[in-house]
Amino acid sequence: DAGVIQSPRHEVTEMGQEVTLRCKPISGHNSLFWYRQTMMRGLELLIYFNNNVPIDDSGMPEDRFSAKMPNASFSTLKIQPSEPRDSAVYFCASSLFAGEGVSGRGNEQFFGPGTRLTVL
Amino acid sequence: AQSVTQPDIHITVSEGASLELRCNYSYGATPYLFWYVQSPGQGLQLLLKYFSGDTLVQGIKGFEAEFKRSQSSFNLRKPSVHWSDAAEYFCAVGTLRGANNLFFGTGTRLTVIP
């Protein structure tokens, strides 16, 4: 089991540039989550998908951020244009959601190694 | 709405000493509870989880946690800390009904001194 795969692991870019972060969830998982971690704000949920459909994007900071999940094995988080305050570690996580009201493994999430983004 | 409080931002313990990290949650129904650990430069790794049944759950690396409904707590414990346990620890709560996202606490950073 390869786990959740994120790329790139490190990204350094200049203000105003477009940044695309990529995530491959664990095979068979049907939920995918994007988080941002900073010293000041801790771990923040940005958006999550169930069965490739965005469920809650209330954590997305502003319109410069967008996320897509075109299929069950791939998701992207895009920042356009990037700003220095976007510098953070971005994590992707996946889980197997059995459905509302269904007991089982519940909402255990498996995290990727993260992408450290630096915007100069 | 669900929420998690980790009242200790930073804890320092001596190697070999016992450890208890506090976690309090807020949720009206039966929660799912998790403890994750994050080593420097790494992602979050699940230590243990509580869904139902025995309120004392065992996890990896010698950790355990006890669910106390009356206190809305899920404290993490380890009888003897190793230097390699130095990391950031996150408590999280999930729910059976409704959204399947998790709510994370702000984390507790553990420093282990020789």
Side-chain angles (χ1 to χ4, degrees), chain B residues 13-84:
Chain B
V13 300
S14 299
E15 190 168 14
S18 63
L19 171 70
E20 182 168 26
L21 302 182
R22 296 183 290 166
C23 172
N24 292 97
Y25 69 91
S26 174
Y27 181 59
T30 301
Y32 290 159
L33 295 161
F34 305 81
W35 274 101
Y36 284 83
V37 60
Q38 183 181 27
S39 297
Q42 304 294 316
L44 278 70
Q45 179 186 19
L46 182 69
L47 279 176
L48 50 76
K49 57 187 181 285
Y50 169 78
F51 290 158
S52 64
D54 193 346
T55 56
L56 183 64
V57 294
Q58 303 296 321
I60 62 172
K61 305 184 181 185
F63 285 91
E64 66 177 26
E66 186 172 11
F67 170 55
K68 293 185 177 180
R69 184 186 300 275
S70 61
Q71 300 177 18
S72 297
S73 70
F74 189 57
N75 294 348
L76 182 71
R77 301 195 294 251
K78 186 169 184 178
S80 178
V81 170
H82 188 261
W83 63 266
S84 61

Coordinates of all heavy atoms in Angstrom, one line a residue, chain B residues 13-84:
Chain B
V13 N 8.7 16.6 29.2 CA 8.8 15.5 30.1 C 10.2 14.9 30.0 O 10.8 15.0 29.0 CB 7.7 14.4 29.9 CG1 6.3 15.0 30.1 CG2 7.9 13.7 28.6
S14 N 10.6 14.2 31.1 CA 11.9 13.5 31.0 C 11.7 12.2 30.4 O 10.7 11.5 30.6 CB 12.5 13.4 32.4 OG 12.7 14.7 33.0
E15 N 12.7 11.7 29.8 CA 12.7 10.4 29.2 C 12.5 9.3 30.3 O 13.1 9.4 31.4 CB 14.0 10.0 28.4 CG 13.9 8.8 27.6 CD 15.1 8.6 26.7 OE1 16.1 9.4 26.8 OE2 15.0 7.8 25.7
G16 N 11.5 8.4 30.1 CA 11.2 7.4 31.1 C 10.0 7.8 32.0 O 9.5 7.0 32.7
A17 N 9.7 9.1 32.0 CA 8.6 9.5 32.8 C 7.3 9.2 32.1 O 7.2 8.9 30.9 CB 8.7 11.0 33.1
S18 N 6.2 9.3 32.9 CA 4.9 9.0 32.3 C 4.3 10.3 31.6 O 4.8 11.4 31.9 CB 3.9 8.6 33.4 OG 3.7 9.6 34.3
L19 N 3.4 10.1 30.7 CA 2.9 11.2 29.9 C 1.3 11.1 29.9 O 0.8 10.1 29.8 CB 3.4 11.1 28.5 CG 2.8 12.1 27.5 CD1 3.2 13.5 27.8 CD2 3.2 11.7 26.1
E20 N 0.7 12.3 30.0 CA -0.7 12.4 29.7 C -1.0 13.7 29.0 O -0.7 14.8 29.5 CB -1.6 12.4 31.0 CG -3.1 12.4 30.7 CD -3.9 12.1 31.9 OE1 -3.5 12.3 33.1 OE2 -5.1 11.6 31.7
L21 N -1.6 13.6 27.8 CA -2.0 14.7 27.0 C -3.5 14.8 27.1 O -4.2 13.9 26.8 CB -1.5 14.6 25.6 CG 0.0 14.4 25.4 CD1 0.3 14.3 23.9 CD2 0.8 15.5 26.0
R22 N -3.9 16.0 27.3 CA -5.4 16.2 27.5 C -6.1 16.6 26.2 O -5.6 17.3 25.4 CB -5.6 17.3 28.6 CG -5.1 16.9 30.0 CD -5.4 18.0 31.0 NE -4.7 19.2 30.7 CZ -5.0 20.4 31.3 NH1 -6.0 20.5 32.1 NH2 -4.2 21.5 31.1
C23 N -7.3 16.1 26.2 CA -8.2 16.4 25.0 C -9.6 16.5 25.5 O -10.1 15.5 26.1 CB -8.1 15.4 23.9 SG -9.2 15.5 22.6
N24 N -10.3 17.5 25.2 CA -11.7 17.7 25.5 C -12.5 18.0 24.2 O -12.0 18.8 23.4 CB -12.0 18.8 26.5 CG -11.4 18.4 27.9 OD1 -10.3 18.8 28.3 ND2 -12.2 17.6 28.7
Y25 N -13.6 17.3 24.1 CA -14.4 17.5 22.8 C -15.8 18.1 23.2 O -16.2 17.9 24.3 CB -14.5 16.2 22.1 CG -15.3 15.2 22.8 CD1 -16.7 15.1 22.5 CD2 -14.8 14.3 23.7 CE1 -17.5 14.2 23.1 CE2 -15.6 13.4 24.4 CZ -17.0 13.4 24.1 OH -17.8 12.5 24.7
S26 N -16.4 18.6 22.2 CA -17.7 19.1 22.3 C -18.5 18.5 21.1 O -18.2 18.8 20.0 CB -17.8 20.6 22.2 OG -19.1 21.1 22.2
Y27 N -19.5 17.7 21.5 CA -20.4 17.1 20.5 C -21.5 16.4 21.2 O -21.4 15.8 22.2 CB -19.6 16.0 19.6 CG -20.5 15.4 18.6 CD1 -21.1 16.2 17.6 CD2 -20.7 14.0 18.6 CE1 -21.9 15.6 16.6 CE2 -21.6 13.5 17.6 CZ -22.1 14.2 16.6 OH -22.9 13.7 15.7
G28 N -22.7 16.6 20.7 CA -23.9 16.2 21.3 C -24.2 14.7 21.3 O -24.9 14.2 22.2
A29 N -23.7 14.0 20.3 CA -24.0 12.6 20.2 C -22.7 11.8 20.4 O -21.7 12.3 20.9 CB -24.6 12.3 18.8
T30 N -22.7 10.5 20.1 CA -21.5 9.7 20.3 C -20.5 10.1 19.3 O -20.7 10.0 18.1 CB -21.9 8.2 20.1 OG1 -22.9 7.9 21.1 CG2 -20.7 7.3 20.3
P31 N -19.3 10.4 19.7 CA -18.3 10.8 18.8 C -17.4 9.7 18.4 O -17.3 8.7 19.1 CB -17.5 11.8 19.6 CG -17.5 11.3 21.0 CD -18.9 10.6 21.2
Y32 N -16.7 9.9 17.3 CA -15.5 9.1 17.0 C -14.3 9.9 17.4 O -14.3 11.1 17.1 CB -15.4 8.8 15.5 CG -16.4 7.8 14.9 CD1 -16.7 7.8 13.6 CD2 -17.1 6.9 15.7 CE1 -17.6 7.0 13.0 CE2 -18.0 6.0 15.2 CZ -18.3 6.1 13.9 OH -19.2 5.2 13.3
L33 N -13.4 9.4 18.1 CA -12.2 10.1 18.6 C -10.9 9.5 18.1 O -10.8 8.3 18.1 CB -12.3 10.2 20.1 CG -13.5 10.9 20.7 CD1 -13.7 10.5 22.2 CD2 -13.3 12.4 20.6
F34 N -10.0 10.4 17.8 CA -8.7 10.0 17.3 C -7.6 10.8 17.9 O -7.7 11.9 18.3 CB -8.7 10.3 15.8 CG -9.8 9.7 15.0 CD1 -11.0 10.4 14.9 CD2 -9.6 8.6 14.3 CE1 -12.1 9.8 14.2 CE2 -10.7 8.0 13.5 CZ -11.9 8.7 13.5
W35 N -6.4 10.1 18.0 CA -5.2 10.8 18.3 C -4.2 10.5 17.1 O -4.0 9.4 16.7 CB -4.5 10.3 19.6 CG -5.0 11.0 20.8 CD1 -6.0 10.5 21.7 CD2 -4.6 12.2 21.3 NE1 -6.2 11.4 22.7 CE2 -5.3 12.5 22.5 CE3 -3.7 13.2 20.9 CZ2 -5.2 13.7 23.3 CZ3 -3.5 14.4 21.6 CH2 -4.3 14.6 22.8
Y36 N -3.7 11.7 16.6 CA -2.7 11.6 15.6 C -1.3 12.2 16.1 O -1.3 13.0 17.0 CB -3.1 12.4 14.4 CG -4.1 11.8 13.5 CD1 -5.5 11.9 13.8 CD2 -3.8 11.1 12.3 CE1 -6.5 11.4 13.0 CE2 -4.7 10.6 11.5 CZ -6.1 10.7 11.8 OH -7.0 10.2 11.0
V37 N -0.2 11.7 15.5 CA 1.1 12.2 15.9 C 1.8 12.7 14.6 O 1.6 12.1 13.6 CB 2.0 11.1 16.6 CG1 2.2 9.9 15.7 CG2 3.3 11.7 17.0
Q38 N 2.4 13.8 14.8 CA 3.2 14.4 13.6 C 4.6 14.7 14.0 O 4.9 15.5 14.9 CB 2.5 15.7 13.2 CG 3.2 16.3 12.0 CD 2.5 17.6 11.5 OE1 1.9 18.4 12.3 NE2 2.6 18.0 10.2
S39 N 5.5 13.9 13.4 CA 6.9 14.2 13.7 C 7.4 15.3 12.8 O 6.7 15.6 11.7 CB 7.7 12.9 13.4 OG 7.3 11.9 14.2
P40 N 8.4 16.0 13.1 CA 8.9 17.2 12.3 C 9.1 16.8 10.8 O 9.7 15.8 10.5 CB 10.2 17.5 13.0 CG 10.1 17.0 14.4 CD 9.3 15.8 14.3
G41 N 8.5 17.6 10.0 CA 8.6 17.4 8.6 C 7.8 16.3 8.0 O 7.9 15.9 6.8
Q42 N 6.9 15.7 8.8 CA 6.1 14.6 8.4 C 4.6 14.9 8.4 O 4.2 15.9 8.9 CB 6.4 13.4 9.3 CG 7.9 13.0 9.4 CD 8.4 12.5 8.1 OE1 7.8 11.7 7.4 NE2 9.6 12.9 7.8
G43 N 3.9 14.0 7.8 CA 2.4 14.1 7.8 C 1.9 13.5 9.1 O 2.7 13.1 10.0
L44 N 0.6 13.5 9.3 CA 0.0 13.0 10.5 C -0.2 11.5 10.4 O -0.6 11.0 9.4 CB -1.3 13.7 10.8 CG -1.3 15.0 11.4 CD1 -0.8 16.1 10.5 CD2 -2.7 15.4 11.9
Q45 N 0.2 10.8 11.5 CA 0.0 9.4 11.6 C -1.0 9.0 12.7 O -0.9 9.6 13.8 CB 1.4 8.7 11.9 CG 1.3 7.2 12.0 CD 2.6 6.6 12.4 OE1 3.5 7.2 13.0 NE2 2.8 5.3 12.2
L46 N -1.9 8.1 12.4 CA -2.9 7.7 13.4 C -2.2 6.9 14.5 O -1.5 5.9 14.3 CB -4.0 6.9 12.8 CG -5.1 6.5 13.7 CD1 -5.9 7.7 14.1 CD2 -6.0 5.5 13.0
L47 N -2.4 7.3 15.8 CA -2.0 6.6 17.0 C -3.0 5.6 17.4 O -2.7 4.4 17.7 CB -1.6 7.5 18.1 CG -0.3 8.3 18.1 CD1 -0.3 9.2 19.3 CD2 0.9 7.3 18.1
L48 N -4.2 6.0 17.6 CA -5.3 5.2 18.0 C -6.6 5.9 17.8 O -6.7 7.1 17.4 CB -5.2 4.9 19.5 CG -4.9 6.1 20.5 CD1 -6.1 6.9 20.8 CD2 -4.3 5.5 21.8
K49 N -7.7 5.1 17.9 CA -9.0 5.6 17.7 C -10.1 5.0 18.6 O -9.9 3.8 19.0 CB -9.4 5.4 16.2 CG -9.4 4.0 15.7 CD -9.6 3.9 14.3 CE -9.6 2.5 13.8 NZ -8.2 1.9 13.7
Y50 N -11.1 5.7 18.9 CA -12.2 5.1 19.6 C -13.5 5.3 18.8 O -13.9 6.4 18.3 CB -12.4 5.9 20.9 CG -13.7 5.5 21.6 CD1 -13.8 4.3 22.3 CD2 -14.8 6.3 21.6 CE1 -15.0 3.9 22.9 CE2 -16.0 6.0 22.2 CZ -16.1 4.8 22.8 OH -17.3 4.4 23.4
F51 N -14.2 4.2 18.6 CA -15.5 4.2 17.9 C -16.6 3.8 18.9 O -17.6 4.4 18.9 CB -15.5 3.2 16.7 CG -14.7 3.7 15.6 CD1 -14.2 2.8 14.7 CD2 -14.3 5.0 15.4 CE1 -13.4 3.2 13.6 CE2 -13.5 5.4 14.4 CZ -13.1 4.5 13.5
S52 N -16.4 2.7 19.6 CA -17.4 2.2 20.5 C -16.8 1.1 21.4 O -15.6 0.7 21.2 CB -18.7 1.7 19.8 OG -18.3 0.5 19.0
G53 N -17.6 0.6 22.3 CA -17.1 -0.5 23.1 C -16.2 0.0 24.3 O -16.4 1.0 24.9
D54 N -15.1 -0.8 24.5 CA -14.2 -0.6 25.6 C -13.7 0.9 25.5 O -13.2 1.3 24.5 CB -13.0 -1.6 25.5 CG -12.2 -1.6 26.8 OD1 -12.4 -0.6 27.6 OD2 -11.4 -2.5 27.0
T55 N -13.8 1.6 26.6 CA -13.5 3.0 26.7 C -11.9 3.2 26.8 O -11.5 4.3 26.6 CB -14.2 3.7 27.8 OG1 -13.8 3.1 29.0 CG2 -15.7 3.7 27.6
L56 N -11.2 2.2 27.1 CA -9.7 2.3 27.1 C -9.2 1.6 25.8 O -9.4 0.4 25.6 CB -9.2 1.6 28.3 CG -7.7 1.6 28.5 CD1 -7.2 3.1 28.7 CD2 -7.2 0.8 29.7
V57 N -8.6 2.4 25.0 CA -8.1 1.9 23.7 C -6.6 1.9 23.6 O -6.0 2.8 24.2 CB -8.7 2.7 22.5 CG1 -10.2 2.5 22.4 CG2 -8.4 4.2 22.6
Q58 N -6.1 0.9 23.0 CA -4.7 0.8 22.9 C -4.3 1.2 21.5 O -5.0 0.9 20.5 CB -4.2 -0.7 23.1 CG -4.6 -1.2 24.5 CD -3.9 -0.5 25.6 OE1 -2.8 -0.1 25.5 NE2 -4.7 -0.2 26.7
G59 N -3.1 1.8 21.4 CA -2.7 2.2 20.0 C -1.2 1.8 19.8 O -0.7 0.9 20.5
I60 N -0.7 2.4 18.8 CA 0.7 2.0 18.4 C 1.7 2.7 19.3 O 1.3 3.7 20.0 CB 1.0 2.3 16.9 CG1 0.9 3.9 16.7 CG2 0.1 1.6 16.0 CD1 1.3 4.3 15.3
K61 N 2.9 2.2 19.3 CA 4.0 2.9 20.1 C 3.8 2.9 21.6 O 4.4 3.8 22.3 CB 4.3 4.3 19.5 CG 4.6 4.3 18.0 CD 4.9 5.7 17.6 CE 5.2 5.8 16.1 NZ 5.7 7.1 15.6
G62 N 3.0 2.0 22.1 CA 2.7 2.0 23.5 C 1.8 3.0 24.1 O 1.7 3.2 25.3
F63 N 1.1 3.7 23.2 CA 0.1 4.7 23.7 C -1.3 4.1 24.0 O -1.6 3.1 23.4 CB -0.1 5.8 22.6 CG 1.1 6.8 22.6 CD1 2.2 6.6 21.7 CD2 1.1 7.9 23.4 CE1 3.2 7.4 21.7 CE2 2.2 8.8 23.4 CZ 3.2 8.6 22.5
E64 N -2.0 4.7 24.9 CA -3.4 4.4 25.1 C -4.1 5.6 25.4 O -3.6 6.7 25.7 CB -3.5 3.4 26.3 CG -3.1 4.0 27.6 CD -3.3 3.1 28.8 OE1 -3.3 1.8 28.6 OE2 -3.5 3.5 29.9
A65 N -5.5 5.5 25.3 CA -6.3 6.7 25.6 C -7.6 6.2 26.2 O -8.1 5.1 25.9 CB -6.6 7.5 24.3
E66 N -8.2 7.0 27.0 CA -9.4 6.6 27.7 C -10.5 7.6 27.4 O -10.4 8.8 27.6 CB -9.2 6.5 29.2 CG -10.4 6.0 29.9 CD -10.2 5.7 31.4 OE1 -9.1 6.1 31.9 OE2 -11.0 5.0 32.0
F67 N -11.6 7.1 26.9 CA -12.8 7.9 26.6 C -13.6 8.0 27.9 O -14.1 7.0 28.4 CB -13.6 7.2 25.5 CG -15.0 7.9 25.3 CD1 -15.1 9.2 25.0 CD2 -16.1 7.1 25.3 CE1 -16.3 9.8 24.8 CE2 -17.4 7.7 25.1 CZ -17.5 9.0 24.8
K68 N -13.9 9.2 28.3 CA -14.7 9.5 29.5 C -15.9 10.4 29.1 O -15.7 11.6 28.9 CB -13.9 10.1 30.6 CG -12.9 9.2 31.2 CD -12.2 9.8 32.4 CE -11.2 8.8 33.0 NZ -10.5 9.4 34.2
R69 N -17.0 9.8 28.9 CA -18.2 10.5 28.4 C -18.6 11.6 29.3 O -18.9 12.7 28.9 CB -19.4 9.6 28.1 CG -20.6 10.3 27.5 CD -21.7 9.3 27.4 NE -21.4 8.2 26.6 CZ -21.5 8.1 25.2 NH1 -22.0 9.2 24.6 NH2 -21.3 7.0 24.6
S70 N -18.6 11.3 30.6 CA -19.0 12.2 31.6 C -18.2 13.5 31.7 O -18.6 14.6 32.0 CB -19.0 11.6 33.0 OG -17.7 11.2 33.4
Q71 N -16.9 13.4 31.2 CA -16.0 14.5 31.2 C -15.7 15.0 29.8 O -15.0 16.0 29.7 CB -14.7 14.1 31.9 CG -14.8 13.7 33.3 CD -13.5 13.2 33.9 OE1 -12.4 13.5 33.4 NE2 -13.5 12.5 35.0
S72 N -16.3 14.4 28.8 CA -16.1 14.8 27.4 C -14.6 14.8 27.2 O -14.1 15.8 26.5 CB -16.8 16.1 27.1 OG -18.1 16.1 27.2
S73 N -13.9 13.8 27.6 CA -12.5 13.8 27.4 C -12.0 12.5 26.8 O -12.7 11.5 26.8 CB -11.8 14.0 28.8 OG -12.0 12.8 29.6
F74 N -10.8 12.7 26.2 CA -10.2 11.5 25.5 C -8.7 11.7 25.7 O -8.0 12.1 24.7 CB -10.6 11.5 24.1 CG -10.2 10.2 23.3 CD1 -10.5 8.9 23.8 CD2 -9.4 10.3 22.2 CE1 -10.1 7.8 23.1 CE2 -9.0 9.2 21.5 CZ -9.4 7.9 22.0
N75 N -8.2 11.5 26.9 CA -6.8 11.8 27.2 C -5.8 10.7 26.7 O -6.2 9.5 26.9 CB -6.6 12.1 28.7 CG -7.3 13.4 29.1 OD1 -7.8 14.2 28.3 ND2 -7.4 13.5 30.4
L76 N -4.7 11.1 26.2 CA -3.7 10.2 25.7 C -2.7 10.0 26.8 O -2.2 10.9 27.4 CB -3.0 10.8 24.5 CG -2.0 9.9 23.8 CD1 -2.6 8.7 23.1 CD2 -1.2 10.8 22.8
R77 N -2.2 8.7 27.0 CA -1.3 8.4 28.0 C -0.2 7.4 27.5 O -0.4 6.7 26.5 CB -2.0 7.7 29.2 CG -3.1 8.6 29.8 CD -3.4 8.0 31.2 NE -4.1 6.7 31.1 CZ -5.4 6.5 31.3 NH1 -6.2 7.5 31.6 NH2 -5.9 5.3 31.2
K78 N 0.9 7.5 28.1 CA 2.0 6.6 27.9 C 2.8 6.4 29.2 O 3.2 7.4 29.8 CB 2.9 7.0 26.8 CG 4.0 6.0 26.4 CD 4.7 6.3 25.1 CE 5.7 5.2 24.8 NZ 6.4 5.4 23.5
P79 N 3.0 5.2 29.7 CA 3.6 5.0 31.0 C 5.1 5.4 31.0 O 5.6 5.9 32.1 CB 3.5 3.5 31.3 CG 3.2 2.9 29.9 CD 2.6 3.9 29.1
S80 N 5.8 5.3 29.9 CA 7.2 5.6 29.9 C 7.6 6.2 28.6 O 7.6 5.5 27.6 CB 8.1 4.4 30.2 OG 9.4 4.7 30.2
V81 N 8.0 7.5 28.6 CA 8.2 8.2 27.3 C 9.6 7.9 26.8 O 10.6 7.9 27.6 CB 8.0 9.7 27.5 CG1 8.4 10.5 26.3 CG2 6.5 10.0 27.8
H82 N 9.7 7.8 25.5 CA 11.0 7.6 24.9 C 11.4 8.9 24.1 O 10.5 9.6 23.7 CB 10.9 6.4 23.9 CG 12.2 6.0 23.3 ND1 12.6 6.4 22.0 CD2 13.2 5.2 23.8 CE1 13.8 5.9 21.8 NE2 14.2 5.1 22.8
W83 N 12.7 9.1 23.9 CA 13.1 10.4 23.2 C 12.4 10.5 21.8 O 12.1 11.6 21.3 CB 14.6 10.4 23.1 CG 15.2 9.3 22.2 CD1 15.7 8.1 22.6 CD2 15.3 9.4 20.8 NE1 16.1 7.4 21.5 CE2 15.9 8.1 20.4 CE3 15.0 10.3 19.8 CZ2 16.2 7.8 19.1 CZ3 15.3 10.0 18.5 CH2 15.9 8.7 18.1
S84 N 12.2 9.3 21.2 CA 11.6 9.4 19.9 C 10.1 9.8 19.9 O 9.5 10.0 18.8 CB 11.7 8.0 19.2 OG 11.0 7.0 20.0

